[in-house]
Amino acid sequence: QVQLVESGGGLVQAGGSLRLSCAASGRTFSTYGMGWFRQAPGKEREFVAAIMWSVGSTYYADSVKGRFTISRDNTRTTVDLQMNNLKPEDTAVYYCAAGSRRLSANPASYDYWGQGTQVTVSS
């Protein structure tokens, strides 16, 4: 059974940094894409970043470009999201997703989802 488990969320002041990690188990995603999405209270889930596991190509939402970095660790089978210069508007529950056939910002492209981890940025 596929399982995605996020970790690393928390409370940070504006301008600070956090690193989220998504541990994947149950199958190999070596030929698929993985992504991070977020959802703030009262808003729809929005795309943050994606990576193709095999070649490492990446794709970012404009709102996080230059501040966030997505990467994968083949030995730990994890996908990480390094978040720098955080802003209050980055506050949301962050979700890891897996199983897309290409780099995609569309949640419907992903077959598997984690439970989410809360990120809160105070001003």
Side-chain angles (χ1 to χ4, degrees), residues 5-6 12-13 20 37 49 53-54 71 86 106-107 111:
V5 179
E6 302 99 334
V12 65
Q13 288 188 331
L20 306 183
F37 290 76
W53 194 282
S54 58
S71 61
L86 282 160
N106 185 352
D111 297 323

Side-chain angles (χ1 to χ4, degrees), residues 33-36 47-61 64-66 68-72 79-81 102-105 110:
M34 297 186 70
W36 285 95
F47 170 73
V48 176
I51 188 167
M52 290 304 295
W53 194 282
S54 58
V55 296
S57 52
T58 58
Y59 177 40
Y60 295 93
V64 306
K65 202 172 295 182
F68 291 10
T69 302
I70 189 171
S71 61
R72 84 266 194 252
V79 173
D80 295 339
L81 185 69
R102 55 184 175 83
L103 284 175
S104 176
Y110 296 84

